[in-house]
């Protein structure tokens, strides 16, 4: 169903889009480091909190992408368009509801989670969260539109939008921090503007009928309970999984907050570099959803199994190469961060631990899991992801970081062990072939 050229045209734009997005995250961290270590710490702590909601929006979009891809595979383009339109509607309603709650409860929640941090760090947290929250609807709407374009294989469109969006963000960061001296707000407002542009651009393009699968007003303004049930049947387990995963990360961030400003700063910088290192697997997740989803929609499990193997080989090969390159560059870029020497040294160790396990275990723990979800094996993957997140990552983090006094190094090792356990479980599940018996549409 997919030639090598088709796969290349799907993967390369997605990779470049994700690379641009992650480079902007690095630029945010780099620019804010010139304000103060308190500002770096505040932004990194809130980003761990923001990610809860970002992943919920992504989970919702992924549920829609699976249904759209399966409809396309079964040649039901009108139903695919209706599913995409319903995804836009529910994404908007959900994200606006989250914004209202956060604007009302943001400060008390931050105080509950990060209450023991220094006062200047807390002020940076509050400022960054308030501005970030306004961009949530734009993020949700963009994810809905991007899910449609990725499902139809036109990933170059979202790549071009990312180019313009990231230019807006980077230029805005430089103006906000170095010209306007706006501190944390100087990197928060450009992100809001860039995300709003991306949402508007992709939504306009999703109304184009020549795509074959497109938005239509009558489908956006209608509540199709049956279709939403199918979308949410994938999105809710995935969202619960991601929500618990991110809550655990926030809990771990509150543990990190116990270790002092230099470890918080090192962890924040390392997370930005981790995002860059994980780029191959982040790229391949949507590829698995599109390819496996269309194969299963066409009812061809043999073709789906073939592409499972092929995409796993591609993911492993390029993940090893990419993680090696990123680690080799880490000592080169660290002197450019305006932080203490001990912060730089700790960051390099954190990146080493992450990259080793990211290239050998994460391809099985994440992209393979997304492929199983696209095939319909939803509950199993969601349950085991939650089990390993709590039973391995959280408990081991408390043991290593606090009991054994390993600090953020212990948290990084616990994350890696989580991936290893999940990788083994998902690969065994794939080899047994039970995913072949599921049907979503």
């Amino acid at each position: 169903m997919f030639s090598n050229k088709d796969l290349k045209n799907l993967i390369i734009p997605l990779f470049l889009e994700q690379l641009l997005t992650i480079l902007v995250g690095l630029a945010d961290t780099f620019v804010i480091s010139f304000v103060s270590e308190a500002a770096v710490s505040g932004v990194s702590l809130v980003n761990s909190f923001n990610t809860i909601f970002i992943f919920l929006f992504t989970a919702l979009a992924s549920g829609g992408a699976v249904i759209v891809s399966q409809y396309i595979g079964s040649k039901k383009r009108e139903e695919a368009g209706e599913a995409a339109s319903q995804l836009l509607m529910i994404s908007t309603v959900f994200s606006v509801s989250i914004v209202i709650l956060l604007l009302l409860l943001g400060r008390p929640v931050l105080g509950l989670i990060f209450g023991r941090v220094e006062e200047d760090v807390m002020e940076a947290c509050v400022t960054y969260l308030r501005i970030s929250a306004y961009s949530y609807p734009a993020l949700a709407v963009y994810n809905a539109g991007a899910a449609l374009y990725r499902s139809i294989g036109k990933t170059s469109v979202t790549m071009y939008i990312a180019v313009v969006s990231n230019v807006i963000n980077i230029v805005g960061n430089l103006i906000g921090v170095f010209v306007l001296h706006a501190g944390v707000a100087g990197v928060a407002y450009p992100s809001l503007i860039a995300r709003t542009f991306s949402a508007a651009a992709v939504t306009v393009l999703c109304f184009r009928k020549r795509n074959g699968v497109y938005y239509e007003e009558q489908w956006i303004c209608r509540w199709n309970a049956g279709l939403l049930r199918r979308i949410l049947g994938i999105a809710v387990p995935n969202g619960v999984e991601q929500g618990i995963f991110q809550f655990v990360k926030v809990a771990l961030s509150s543990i990190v907050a116990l270790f002092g400003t230099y470890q918080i700063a090192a962890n924040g910088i390392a997370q930005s570099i981790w995002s860059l290192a994980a780029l191959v697997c982040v790229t391949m997740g949507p590829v698995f959803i599109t390819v496996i989803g269309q194969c299963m929609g066409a009812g061809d499990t043999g073709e789906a199994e073939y592409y499972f193997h092929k995409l796993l080989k591609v993911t492993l090969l390029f993940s090893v190469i990419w993680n090696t390159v990123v680690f080799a560059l880490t000592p080169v870029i660290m002197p450019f961060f305006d932080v203490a020497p001990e912060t730089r040294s700790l960051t390099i160790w954190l990146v080493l631990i992450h990259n080793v396990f990211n290239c050998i275990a994460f391809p099985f723990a994440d992209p393979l899991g997304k492929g199983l979800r696209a095939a319909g094996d939803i509950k199993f993957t969601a349950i085991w992801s939650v089990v390993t997140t709590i039973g391995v990552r959280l408990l081991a983090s408390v043991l290593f970081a606090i009991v054994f006094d390993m600090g953020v190094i212990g948290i990084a090792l616990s994350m890696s062990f989580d991936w290893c356990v999940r990788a083994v479980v998902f690969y065994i599940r794939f080899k047994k072939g039970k995913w072949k018996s599921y049907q979503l549409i």
Side-chain angles (χ1 to χ4, degrees):
M1 293 180 65
F2 294 86
S3 66
N4 288 337
K5 182 179 179 180
D6 291 332
L7 293 176
K8 182 178 72 173
N9 290 339
L10 187 63
I11 293 169
I12 292 177
L14 262 176
F15 179 85
L16 294 175
E17 177 191 347
Q18 297 297 330
L19 175 61
L20 287 167
T21 302
I22 291 166
L23 288 176
V24 167
L26 280 171
D28 281 355
T29 305
F30 175 71
V31 171
I32 201 66
S33 72
F34 286 88
V35 177
S36 67
E37 289 205 4
V40 174
S41 300
V43 169
S44 68
L45 289 174
V46 172
N47 274 337
S48 68
F49 183 73
N50 279 340
T51 307
I52 293 174
F53 304 103
I54 292 171
F55 271 85
L56 288 177
F57 304 146
T58 303
L60 186 56
S62 296
V66 170
I67 297 300
V68 171
S69 294
Q70 290 212 2
Y71 273 131
I72 292 172
S74 62
K75 309 300 182 184
K76 298 177 180 178
R77 292 192 172 268
E78 184 171 341
E79 289 86 345
E82 185 174 2
S85 301
Q86 290 282 285
L87 174 62
L88 173 63
M89 181 268 292
I90 197 65
S91 297
T92 304
V93 171
F94 178 59
S95 59
V96 170
S97 301
I98 293 295
V99 172
I100 294 171
L101 287 174
L102 271 185
L103 292 178
L104 293 174
L105 303 174
R107 179 180 279 273
V109 170
L110 288 177
L112 179 64
I113 299 172
F114 307 125
R116 296 184 62 181
V117 299
E118 298 166 12
E119 183 60 32
D120 53 352
V121 175
M122 178 55 70
E123 287 305 311
C125 287
V126 172
T127 300
Y128 195 68
L129 177 63
R130 285 178 175 171
I131 300 169
S132 297
Y134 289 115
S135 71
Y136 286 179
L139 272 171
V141 168
Y142 173 76
N143 281 337
L148 170 55
Y149 265 92
R150 289 165 186 165
S151 295
I152 62 178
K154 295 184 177 182
T155 54
S156 59
V157 172
T158 53
M159 180 191 70
Y160 293 134
I161 292 174
V163 170
V164 179
S165 174
N166 291 334
V167 168
I168 293 171
N169 202 350
I170 291 174
V171 172
N173 286 343
L174 296 175
I175 294 173
V177 172
F178 297 115
V179 178
L180 301 178
H181 305 288
V184 171
V187 297
Y189 278 115
S191 296
L192 170 61
I193 295 168
R195 288 168 176 173
T196 302
F197 162 79
S198 298
V202 79
T203 301
V204 169
L205 293 174
C206 283
F207 278 97
R208 296 198 301 184
K209 292 186 178 182
R210 66 183 182 181
N211 291 333
V213 179
Y214 52 88
Y215 289 160
E216 192 163 326
E217 289 181 13
Q218 64 170 337
W219 295 331
I220 297 173
C221 300
R222 184 191 342 178
W223 186 274
N224 186 330
L227 187 51
L228 284 173
R229 194 178 301 114
R230 287 194 289 275
I231 293 173
L232 295 176
I234 303 169
V236 170
N238 194 19
V240 170
E241 169 202 333
Q242 292 297 334
I244 292 174
F245 171 71
Q246 293 305 324
F247 273 118
V248 167
K249 283 189 69 175
V250 171
L252 295 180
S253 294
S254 66
I255 294 175
V256 171
L258 301 174
F259 302 136
T261 301
Y262 101 89
Q263 289 209 45
I264 297 174
N267 191 66
I269 296 170
Q271 285 188 8
S272 296
I273 300 173
W274 291 352
S275 297
L276 183 63
L279 182 60
V280 171
C281 290
V282 171
T283 297
M284 293 305 295
V287 175
F288 270 83
I289 289 174
T290 298
V291 174
I292 303 304
Q294 289 197 25
C295 290
M296 295 300 288
D300 195 337
T301 57
E303 193 86 346
E305 186 169 15
Y306 168 79
Y307 282 111
F308 261 121
H309 286 292
K310 185 167 187 173
L311 292 177
L312 268 175
K313 290 177 183 177
V314 171
T315 306
L316 283 167
L317 174 62
F318 286 102
S319 188
V320 169
I321 295 171
W322 182 251
N323 276 273
T324 302
V325 170
V326 170
F327 178 71
L329 291 175
T330 299
V332 177
I333 65 174
M334 281 309 302
F336 292 98
F337 286 91
D338 189 20
V339 293
E342 59 265 31
T343 301
R344 296 175 186 169
S345 176
L346 181 57
T347 301
I348 292 172
W349 277 106
L350 291 171
V351 172
L352 174 61
I353 293 168
H354 172 276
N355 285 25
V356 168
F357 289 95
N358 187 265
C359 63
I360 61 175
F362 199 59
F364 298 94
D366 189 78
L368 176 61
K370 286 184 170 62
L372 291 173
R373 290 185 184 95
D377 198 357
I378 299 158
K379 290 183 180 179
F380 178 88
T381 52
I383 290 170
W384 270 98
S385 294
V386 170
V387 168
T388 61
T389 298
I390 297 175
V392 178
R393 182 175 301 210
L394 181 58
L395 296 182
S397 292
V398 173
L399 180 65
F400 293 161
I402 298 177
V403 178
F404 294 164
D405 197 26
M406 297 175 67
V408 292
I409 293 289
I411 292 176
L413 287 173
S414 301
M415 170 186 65
S416 302
F417 294 161
D418 171 17
W419 293 343
C420 290
V421 174
R422 200 182 315 170
V424 171
V425 171
F426 285 175
Y427 188 70
I428 292 173
R429 181 71 167 184
F430 165 67
K431 294 299 289 183
K432 286 185 175 180
K434 189 173 181 179
W435 54 272
K436 297 178 183 180
S437 62
Y438 291 97
Q439 186 174 4
L440 295 176
I441 60 172

